[in-house]
Amino acid sequence: MERRRRKSLTIFRPSLSALAPINGEKDGSDTSPVMLKKKRRPASFFTASASSSPTTPSSPDVERIAAASGDRPASPRYRPRTLQKPGRPSSIFGSFRSLHSLHDDDEKLTYTRSATSSIEEDDGNGMSSIAGKTVRQYGEVQTTGGMFRKRSQYLVLTDSHLVRFKSQARALETFPSIPAPFGRSNTMRHSSMASISSLQDAQTSASHESYQGIPLHQIIAVYKLDDGKPYFSIETAYMDEETNSVSCMTMQLSDPRECELWLSSIRKAAAGARLVDPVPFCQRSVEYVARTLEQERDYDPNHFRMFRVVQRWSQKGSGRSSSDDLSKLTSTVCYLVIGIHKVHLIPLNRAAMRASNLSLADLTNKSYGLTTLSSVSMQESDDAFQLTFRIPLRRPVTLYLASSSASEIALWVRHAIEYLRPEWLEQPIKLHVPRGLEDDMPPLPPNLDDHRGFDRTLTAYCAGYEVDTSNIRYAISYNCEDAPMFQLLRPTNPRRPKYSVLELLAVMRALRFNESFISISFHDISLDVLHGCCDNHGSEYVPWSSRSGIALNTPKQETLCLMVLELQALALKSKRLRRLDLSYCLERKPEDNPDNRDPGCCIAEAIFPLCQRQLTNVDWIVLNGVLLADADLDYLIAAAVERSCHLRALEVSRCGLTDRTMYLILQAMEAQENTLEAIDISGNLARLDPSSFQNQIGRFGFIRKINLSRVHRTSGPEPLIATETLMTWRLEELFLSETPVNEQTVDSISAYLTSSQSDTLREIRLDQCGLTGQDVAVFMHSMTRNPGQGRELHLFVSENHLEKDHDMLVDAVKRGMTPTHLTMKMVEYTRESHFRELVQALWANTTLKYLDISKASLPYDASEETCKALQCMFAENKTLEVLDISGEYAHLEVARFGIGLNQALTGLKKNTALKVLRIEYQKLGLQGASTVASVLEENTTLQEIYCENNDINLQGFTVLVNGVQRNHTLLHMPSMDRDRADSLNTVQREIENIRDSTANPHASLSVKPSVRRTLGAAMSGNKASAKPPPNHASSSYSEQDVLAAIASLNERWDREARRLEGYLIRNYNLAHGITAQDSYEGESVSEDITDDERPVTAESLQTTLRNARSDRTPTMEREVELGDGLVSLAKEYGGDYGYSADEDEEDDDDDDDDSEDEEEEEEREALLSEKLIELGIDDPRSRRPKENGSANGNGNGNGK
């Protein structure tokens, strides 16, 4: 029998007699093919069968790949040995073996050259470079280099490589410095078992390296395997960056001290090798990772860190079910990338790997927000580390990783987090890292962003919580008390008017620790989703202490709902925050259940205990519109009785307070008499007794603002607020709207206005208080210091009975007794002469700067005399800067001045003071738009004009834009979106009428002309006759025609809106001295604009319809049959296109007016016949000649 020598490809070439057998066997010279066949593993029922998938990797396939790092048989008939003894059942993964692998296994083993060759062969050069190195560690260990491949090897660690030998004898030949053994090695041999050391070993290329040594600079990680087995394992993962191939080696030892020795030695030697010969990332890998981050919208070259890591499997224990996911059993090499907002785990670039290098568990891209990181844990003894991420209300996700760059990863992750949260003094992260590691963190760049990086932090939280940043809107106001103020606005998405839990948490946590804002407002923002919502999966965001480190010591604080915790955090973590506006943020109603006490709104529970203990500087809390339960009142009263709270305001409007609760609150607030500045108890159920109320509020000597609107009082002649009480205050705001004011209260307020104590008063609201013209006149006389010189005060007297004693009010206005700002909306006049007298008084007034007389109701449209007075007032008044004369459309009442207002507006051409004009809901129409445009062409002081909701169509809007073109001072004019919508909706309703009437041809005859007239009205806005013409058959349009025309109208409106925007930008640049090229200067004005620029008559509508339907609507076919000239003329002169949709209901009422219809019909026939003669077209309807300017035909041209 021929003797066969077991042969492997290697860089070493020692003498064959020195080779050591695997697993303690004798020399390979005694091995024969027959003996090899006997030592094969018996077949198992898991071995490949006919049903095996030909594409699924099999267990021998994995063994064959693993053999790339071990011995290679020389014969194609030789099967590599395994650690499993004959007769033992095969692995459960045997079913992964494919059919073709059974037949091709031996052949593949023959023709595949191993890159991780053994030491049997030597090329004479490779080993000499390793042998000359310093030996650091050596010994015999049990290793695994592939799936279910286990062997005993002798390892030698040098300062550049970790070399594997089959025996100690082979190691001695290469490294003579290793002492020779004196006896049999006592290294413990473990029983055969299935060892999982994949680390993409199935992913490893067959040409991994040129020798059996592992270059230390290629080692990614060295870490312990904590798998619960009775031995100690070390896994070493390494990667060739050029070939993008990875592999691993698992060392199993019985002595823990020997395990620690090997682990520390390999880590230390690998660290030294990387310093000498670092392995940079290849450009291909960097570009691949950068493209991946760009797809995630998380790439920023200035915030980009890339590392090689091993994602370890984390399950402990010795047993696993065969149904477990294989991916949980394996470790995988990937890239860990730190982006601007997230941490990414990105698999290796498959394009750079061989097709056979596929992992059993392919890794997909995984991203985790940096702001969701809750824990970082590192091991000092190995390269393993853990990152734990948690999105609120979800379970944490822990990544078990390993990398030689673990310390650097931890530092850069911490650096990225502190960049995203620059104001946070306490990061919500649990750090378990070696001592001194945080001292090595790279310095942060200076925070130069507005508002201390708030927008940066908010964007990071939105990215981490996977919410849309564009849906969150906020404003920052500087023109308010306690500025700057952050105000959260309603969401951008109109279909979802409320924020979600994660969106609110993102905003609140972005505000935490930020000291840019002195006020924070959640006014009218629903926070109901936070009420009663508890996060039971973590406590990293629980505010355990104040900003200065004082502990709260609240029992079971981590179990409180998110609303309490987040509001506490806002109040505790900012020293500059003084005001919290939470008005109308909750819609819940307290439950009235004696057995189960209502927990309250949670706002009082969160804030007032902190005020009581002086742990926050928040002293102005707005609770308006939030219904308070007994539990809330307990917290409020407990804090109010403490003088150390220093509360500055009590704002509890519409909180459902009763007589008892109101009395208790006011009594408790007496302790804040030296600090209280504002009281708002409006809109509650409590009835105030003036006598007792005087005693309670009279104690507060520093009140600046008081709101007693919509309060109930007991009957009696006493004033609600006595003069003596008012004289102790230096008020800035006094609100009594919707509260009945008797004569004594009027006298008390008048006396206060006369006193110098009221010099600080800036606003007084007395809307709907039952005042008469005399009462308002008394107030004006009282507040006037110098006649003819207006006092800087805003007086609100809307919805009062001002027509009573109206002459006294007119006299006060005429004599200049008014303040600078006056609002008197919704005044109902039963006599137009009274309103005209007021207008004439305003003509002579020289103190008013702001006037709001909107929604004034006249018995009928303003007469010519009244409009003339308005015209003179517009032209002659020299002090008014803001004027509001808007009307009102309501279901039961309409308030407008009528068509005469168009003539009155012409007075503005001579005005030299007015800057802002509001003239909405006055039904200006096309004529009014033309008037406003003419005003804009001549006026040089107007800066803002608001003229929406005036039935202005496309032609009217175009005229307005042309007026703005010649004006160089106007800075704002709306794009008339509401008017556009109304105009097009009218057409849409007519289209629906077409659909409803398709089954009734007689009804359709009357509907289609209506649609035509509606389109004409949308374009021109001209009035029309109420009855459609008889000749309607030849002028009907299909539904496609109308839809195409609507689309064309939209396009034209958009074009005009763009023109308007360009002119306003031009004016803004001129007003601020900005030099910019005006692209609109060269355009022609309205009279030079062609039909393509704007429609001016009904003829433009015909052009629009013809262009819209050409070659794409069914009506085109009918025009071909009848002739374009005849049909176009019939459409143009066969009906009035200025029809208004508002007159639909009047059509039936005018059906009997035959004489008028006949006259209109004769005029249309005459115009049509005349036009046909001019064009040389024979009229098919009538062959009669024209007589006396009228056609003698019967007017019924249908079908002719």
Side-chain angles (χ1 to χ4, degrees):
M1 182 179 298
E2 180 183 358
R3 302 177 65 87
R4 185 178 299 274
R5 182 171 65 249
R6 192 163 184 261
K7 182 177 179 182
S8 297
L9 300 177
T10 180
I11 63 172
F12 312 113
R13 192 176 298 278
S15 60
L16 297 179
S17 59
L19 293 177
I22 284 183
N23 295 335
E25 296 179 5
K26 295 184 179 180
D27 190 275
S29 59
D30 296 333
T31 306
S32 65
V34 177
M35 295 177 64
L36 287 173
K37 184 176 181 180
K38 290 182 180 180
K39 290 182 177 291
R40 286 181 180 178
R41 183 179 61 186
S44 166
F45 70 93
F46 285 107
T47 311
S49 60
S51 62
S52 300
S53 173
T55 60
T56 305
S58 61
S59 179
D61 289 337
V62 178
E63 293 174 357
R64 182 172 63 257
I65 296 174
S69 60
D71 301 320
R72 177 71 61 183
S75 172
R77 299 175 54 191
Y78 183 79
R79 185 179 300 276
R81 288 183 174 89
T82 66
L83 295 176
Q84 194 165 2
K85 295 182 179 180
R88 182 181 296 274
S90 63
S91 166
I92 62 174
F93 299 103
S95 60
F96 281 57
R97 183 180 178 88
S98 60
L99 284 173
H100 72 276
S101 64
L102 290 173
H103 305 289
D104 301 338
D105 190 26
D106 294 338
E107 183 178 0
K108 289 182 179 179
L109 288 173
T110 300
Y111 294 107
T112 302
R113 179 180 180 88
S114 172
T116 58
S117 55
S118 65
I119 58 175
E120 267 79 12
E121 288 190 55
D122 185 20
D123 58 3
N125 296 323
M127 194 57 198
S128 60
S129 62
I130 300 178
K133 302 295 181 179
T134 304
V135 176
R136 293 175 174 268
Q137 183 72 14
Y138 55 86
E140 185 176 1
V141 297
Q142 198 166 20
T143 64
T144 59
M147 293 287 290
F148 309 105
R149 188 160 183 86
K150 187 175 180 180
R151 70 187 69 177
S152 179
Q153 292 183 329
Y154 198 88
L155 301 185
V156 178
L157 175 65
T158 70
D159 53 1
S160 63
H161 289 77
L162 178 62
V163 191
R164 291 180 284 182
F165 296 92
K166 296 181 64 176
S167 65
Q168 185 177 12
R170 294 296 299 126
L172 289 174
E173 294 180 2
T174 307
F175 298 101
S177 60
I178 300 177
F182 295 97
R184 181 178 176 86
S185 174
N186 59 354
T187 302
M188 177 180 178
R189 298 182 182 274
H190 302 288
S191 60
S192 177
M193 62 188 68
S195 175
I196 306 300
S197 62
S198 68
L199 187 65
Q200 295 175 313
D201 194 66
Q203 187 182 24
T204 307
S205 172
S207 58
H208 179 66
E209 53 207 21
S210 60
Y211 42 81
Q212 180 66 6
I214 301 174
L216 294 182
H217 68 279
Q218 293 184 359
I219 291 180
I220 300 175
V222 183
Y223 53 93
K224 298 178 183 178
L225 283 180
D226 190 6
D227 51 8
K229 297 298 190 299
Y231 50 82
F232 305 94
S233 301
I234 301 174
E235 189 165 78
T236 303
Y238 49 99
M239 173 181 176
D240 188 347
E241 183 67 24
E242 294 297 329
T243 62
N244 213 33
S245 58
V246 296
S247 187
C248 78
M249 179 185 68
T250 303
M251 304 166 54
Q252 298 175 352
L253 303 103
S254 59
D255 188 353
R257 291 175 296 180
E258 186 179 1
C259 176
E260 295 291 341
L261 182 60
W262 272 108
L263 182 64
S264 60
S265 300
I266 295 175
R267 291 184 66 201
K268 185 176 181 180
R274 284 191 296 272
L275 292 176
V276 176
D277 186 15
V279 181
F281 290 99
C282 64
Q283 186 66 23
R284 180 182 62 252
S285 299
V286 175
E287 293 177 355
Y288 158 70
V289 171
R291 286 195 302 269
T292 304
L293 262 66
E294 286 180 347
Q295 295 176 359
E296 296 286 338
R297 299 182 179 181
D298 196 44
Y299 177 72
D300 185 348
N302 298 323
H303 302 274
F304 178 84
R305 295 292 182 274
M306 180 176 173
F307 304 93
R308 306 177 187 91
V309 298
V310 179
Q311 189 173 8
R312 304 176 288 123
W313 63 282
S314 59
Q315 183 65 30
K316 299 181 179 181
S318 58
R320 279 187 179 272
S321 171
S322 60
S323 63
D324 285 343
D325 186 6
L326 186 61
S327 64
K328 297 179 181 179
L329 296 172
T330 62
S331 299
T332 313
V333 168
C334 58
Y335 295 118
L336 185 145
V337 186
I338 304 175
I340 180 65
H341 297 133
K342 296 181 179 181
V343 173
H344 306 266
L345 290 182
I346 302 176
L348 302 182
N349 188 6
R350 296 183 181 180
M353 301 172 62
R354 293 176 50 180
S356 59
N357 301 342
L358 298 178
S359 173
L360 293 177
D362 293 334
L363 180 68
T364 58
N365 295 346
K366 297 181 179 179
S367 302
Y368 306 90
L370 285 166
T371 54
T372 64
L373 183 66
S374 60
S375 175
V376 177
S377 179
M378 291 179 55
Q379 308 294 332
E380 295 189 29
S381 58
D382 62 0
D383 294 335
F385 67 99
Q386 294 86 36
L387 300 178
T388 301
F389 299 88
R390 193 181 74 86
I391 296 178
L393 305 177
R394 302 181 190 176
R395 295 183 179 275
V397 176
T398 301
L399 301 180
Y400 296 89
L401 307 171
S403 175
S404 58
S405 304
S407 300
E408 189 177 358
I409 291 174
L411 289 176
W412 281 112
V413 167
R414 179 66 183 270
H415 180 273
I417 290 175
E418 294 196 358
Y419 171 78
L420 296 178
R421 290 190 290 236
E423 295 298 305
W424 282 58
L425 302 181
E426 307 167 5
Q427 298 292 341
I429 302 174
K430 297 180 180 178
L431 293 178
H432 303 280
V433 297
R435 293 182 178 179
L437 180 63
E438 296 186 48
D439 299 336
D440 299 332
M441 192 181 74
L444 287 169
N447 183 14
L448 302 178
D449 292 354
D450 293 338
H451 309 294
R452 304 193 181 187
F454 168 76
D455 192 68
R456 180 203 310 173
T457 307
L458 177 60
T459 304
Y461 269 106
C462 290
Y465 292 170
E466 301 174 358
V467 299
D468 185 7
T469 311
S470 62
N471 193 48
I472 298 176
R473 298 191 308 128
Y474 66 89
I476 298 175
S477 177
Y478 295 90
N479 188 20
C480 63
E481 286 191 20
D482 297 332
M485 179 183 70
F486 170 87
Q487 182 178 5
L488 183 63
L489 306 177
R490 288 184 176 270
T492 306
N493 188 355
R495 298 182 178 179
R496 191 165 58 87
K498 297 181 180 180
Y499 287 108
S500 64
V501 175
L502 294 180
E503 288 172 334
L504 290 174
L505 290 180
V507 173
M508 290 183 170
R509 291 175 180 179
L511 290 170
R512 190 183 296 193
F513 283 100
N514 192 304
E515 295 202 321
S516 299
F517 309 113
I518 302 179
S519 303
I520 295 178
S521 173
F522 294 100
H523 173 76
D524 205 21
I525 300 298
S526 177
L527 303 181
D528 290 276
V529 291
L530 297 180
H531 187 276
C533 180
C534 299
D535 190 354
N536 300 321
H537 302 292
S539 59
E540 61 270 16
Y541 279 94
V542 175
W544 302 106
S545 61
S546 65
R547 187 183 180 95
S548 57
I550 302 176
L552 264 67
N553 298 324
T554 303
K556 298 182 180 180
Q557 186 178 1
E558 65 278 3
T559 62
L560 298 177
C561 70
L562 289 175
M563 174 171 281
V564 175
L565 296 178
E566 295 303 323
L567 292 179
Q568 280 184 344
L570 290 177
L572 283 170
K573 303 301 183 180
S574 176
K575 290 183 178 180
R576 295 191 65 197
L577 185 62
R578 301 291 303 277
R579 184 187 302 235
L580 270 177
D581 187 353
L582 298 165
S583 55
Y584 302 95
C585 67
L586 290 176
E587 298 178 359
R588 66 177 300 275
K589 296 181 179 179
E591 298 179 0
D592 188 8
N593 188 356
D595 299 332
N596 187 13
R597 191 186 187 194
D598 188 272
C601 66
C602 296
I603 300 175
E605 180 183 0
I607 306 299
F608 288 114
L610 304 181
C611 299
Q612 184 179 1
R613 298 175 56 185
Q614 303 180 47
L615 296 177
T616 179
N617 290 331
V618 176
D619 51 15
W620 194 307
I621 305 163
V622 184
L623 298 176
N624 298 335
V626 179
L627 297 179
L628 301 180
D630 291 340
D632 300 317
L633 297 175
D634 292 343
Y635 288 113
L636 193 158
I637 294 174
V641 296
E642 297 290 338
R643 291 185 178 272
S644 57
C645 284
H646 304 296
L647 294 179
R648 292 192 299 148
L650 174 66
E651 297 202 34
V652 287
S653 172
R654 297 179 181 268
C655 292
L657 301 180
T658 62
D659 296 352
R660 183 186 68 87
T661 54
M662 178 71 74
Y663 177 80
L664 292 176
I665 291 176
L666 292 177
Q667 187 179 28
M669 292 298 295
E670 293 178 2
Q672 312 298 322
E673 57 182 352
N674 295 325
T675 58
L676 197 65
E677 301 176 10
I679 296 178
D680 185 356
I681 56 175
S682 61
N684 286 290
L685 304 175
R687 292 175 59 89
L688 300 181
D689 182 9
S691 58
S692 60
F693 181 65
Q694 301 296 332
N695 296 330
Q696 289 178 322
I697 65 171
R699 296 177 179 271
F700 308 114
F702 299 94
I703 295 295
R704 296 187 298 111
K705 301 179 181 181
I706 185 167
N707 188 347
L708 301 178
S709 303
R710 299 179 300 278
V711 300
H712 305 280
R713 53 161 292 174
T714 58
S715 60
E718 304 88 353
L720 182 61
I721 306 178
T723 305
E724 295 77 10
T725 304
L726 288 173
M727 289 298 180
T728 61
W729 298 336
R730 298 186 64 83
L731 291 178
E732 297 176 5
E733 296 178 2
L734 174 61
F735 296 168
L736 294 173
S737 297
E738 302 183 37
T739 298
V741 175
N742 56 16
E743 184 178 352
Q744 289 74 15
T745 305
V746 172
D747 295 339
S748 177
I749 296 175
S750 300
Y752 179 68
L753 291 175
T754 306
S755 171
S756 60
Q757 286 289 103
S758 66
D759 289 345
T760 57
L761 192 62
R762 294 292 175 263
E763 188 173 343
I764 177 171
R765 291 181 180 266
L766 297 168
D767 299 329
Q768 203 173 344
C769 292
L771 299 177
T772 64
Q774 179 182 358
D775 297 333
V776 176
V778 169
F779 291 147
M780 291 182 178
H781 282 276
S782 300
M783 68 179 63
T784 302
R785 298 292 184 261
N786 299 313
Q789 183 178 356
R791 179 173 173 179
E792 289 292 336
L793 187 147
H794 197 156
L795 176 62
F796 293 81
V797 288
S798 303
E799 299 183 77
N800 285 295
H801 307 304
L802 301 184
E803 197 172 19
K804 184 179 180 180
D805 299 325
H806 189 264
D807 55 340
M808 299 182 66
L809 172 63
V810 170
D811 182 70
V813 173
K814 187 174 182 179
R815 294 172 57 189
M817 298 293 182
T818 58
T820 56
H821 295 67
L822 177 62
T823 297
M824 40 190 305
K825 300 189 299 182
M826 300 182 70
V827 178
E828 185 175 356
Y829 287 94
T830 59
R831 297 176 59 184
E832 183 185 353
S833 59
H834 287 167
F835 179 75
R836 184 166 57 250
E837 292 172 359
L838 177 63
V839 173
Q840 293 172 349
L842 292 171
W843 178 6
N845 183 274
T846 58
T847 57
L848 278 174
K849 296 180 180 179
Y850 176 99
L851 176 62
D852 184 355
I853 54 174
S854 61
K855 303 179 183 180
S857 177
L858 302 181
Y860 40 81
D861 288 352
S863 64
E864 183 178 354
E865 293 80 4
T866 302
C867 294
K868 185 66 175 177
L870 282 170
Q871 182 182 13
C872 295
M873 190 265 289
F874 292 154
E876 302 298 334
N877 188 282
K878 305 299 182 182
T879 58
L880 269 179
E881 297 178 358
V882 180
L883 176 63
D884 190 347
I885 55 172
S886 300
E888 181 184 21
Y889 293 168
H891 294 288
L892 301 178
E893 185 179 0
V894 176
R896 62 189 181 95
F897 294 145
I899 193 171
L901 180 61
N902 295 329
Q903 180 64 26
L905 288 175
T906 58
L908 292 173
K909 295 180 180 180
K910 301 179 181 179
N911 188 283
T912 58
L914 195 64
K915 297 180 180 179
V916 180
L917 174 64
R918 290 185 176 271
I919 186 170
E920 299 179 336
Y921 295 102
Q922 288 289 357
K923 284 197 174 182
L924 296 178
L926 177 59
Q927 182 180 357
S930 301
T931 303
V932 174
S934 64
V935 169
L936 291 176
E937 292 177 2
E938 299 186 26
N939 187 282
T940 58
T941 57
L942 271 176
Q943 297 179 0
E944 301 177 19
I945 183 169
Y946 300 86
C947 53
E948 283 188 305
N949 302 291
N950 274 301
D951 292 345
I952 295 178
N953 51 31
L954 176 58
Q955 183 179 356
F957 182 52
T958 305
V959 171
L960 284 174
V961 175
N962 294 334
V964 178
Q965 182 181 14
R966 292 188 172 183
N967 183 287
H968 292 78
T969 60
L970 193 70
L971 302 179
H972 175 81
M973 189 174 80
S975 58
M976 317 297 287
D977 292 334
R978 297 178 184 176
D979 294 82
R980 167 163 58 173
D982 293 341
S983 179
L984 297 182
N985 284 339
T986 303
V987 178
Q988 187 66 30
R989 287 195 298 268
E990 295 296 340
I991 293 176
E992 295 176 357
N993 292 337
I994 292 178
R995 296 175 180 173
D996 297 338
S997 60
T998 51
N1000 187 355
H1002 299 287
S1004 64
L1005 293 178
S1006 62
V1007 171
K1008 291 185 179 180
S1010 176
V1011 176
R1012 184 192 62 212
R1013 293 196 306 273
T1014 303
L1015 283 170
M1019 298 288 289
S1020 64
N1022 297 327
K1023 290 287 277 189
S1025 62
K1027 185 176 180 179
N1031 288 340
H1032 48 65
S1034 63
S1035 59
S1036 61
Y1037 292 100
S1038 67
E1039 182 179 351
Q1040 292 89 336
D1041 297 334
V1042 178
L1043 293 177
I1046 292 176
S1048 177
L1049 292 177
N1050 258 322
E1051 293 175 1
R1052 290 173 180 267
W1053 204 299
D1054 290 336
R1055 183 166 55 188
E1056 296 303 321
R1058 290 192 295 269
R1059 289 182 61 215
L1060 174 62
E1061 182 182 3
Y1063 296 142
L1064 295 179
I1065 292 175
R1066 176 202 63 188
N1067 295 347
Y1068 178 86
N1069 293 337
L1070 292 175
H1072 294 82
I1074 301 175
T1075 303
Q1077 182 178 1
D1078 189 357
S1079 59
Y1080 295 87
E1081 277 298 329
E1083 293 191 6
S1084 59
V1085 293
S1086 58
E1087 53 265 27
D1088 298 327
I1089 292 179
T1090 63
D1091 289 342
D1092 293 335
E1093 290 296 329
R1094 65 176 177 90
V1096 294
T1097 64
E1099 184 178 357
S1100 300
L1101 173 62
Q1102 306 305 321
T1103 304
T1104 302
L1105 289 170
R1106 186 181 299 110
N1107 294 337
R1109 76 184 176 198
S1110 295
D1111 300 328
R1112 56 181 176 179
T1113 61
T1115 310
M1116 191 62 186
E1117 301 176 0
R1118 184 164 54 82
E1119 287 202 2
V1120 173
E1121 296 177 0
L1122 299 178
D1124 289 344
L1126 176 60
V1127 175
S1128 298
L1129 289 173
K1131 290 176 181 178
E1132 181 175 353
Y1133 296 99
D1136 194 336
Y1137 291 85
Y1139 174 77
S1140 175
D1142 294 337
E1143 300 179 0
D1144 282 341
E1145 299 178 357
E1146 301 177 6
D1147 290 347
D1148 297 336
D1149 298 336
D1150 297 336
D1151 288 342
D1152 297 333
D1153 194 358
D1154 296 335
S1155 59
E1156 184 178 347
D1157 294 342
E1158 291 176 359
E1159 293 177 0
E1160 294 176 356
E1161 182 179 347
E1162 289 175 358
E1163 292 178 2
R1164 287 193 298 269
E1165 293 291 340
L1167 291 173
L1168 177 57
S1169 299
E1170 192 177 44
K1171 193 68 177 179
L1172 289 174
I1173 292 173
E1174 292 177 1
L1175 296 175
I1177 300 175
D1178 190 13
D1179 188 353
R1181 303 170 303 162
S1182 176
R1183 304 293 180 180
R1184 300 178 182 179
K1186 172 181 175 185
E1187 296 181 2
N1188 299 326
S1190 62
N1192 295 330
N1194 57 10
N1196 187 8
N1198 295 340
K1200 293 185 180 181

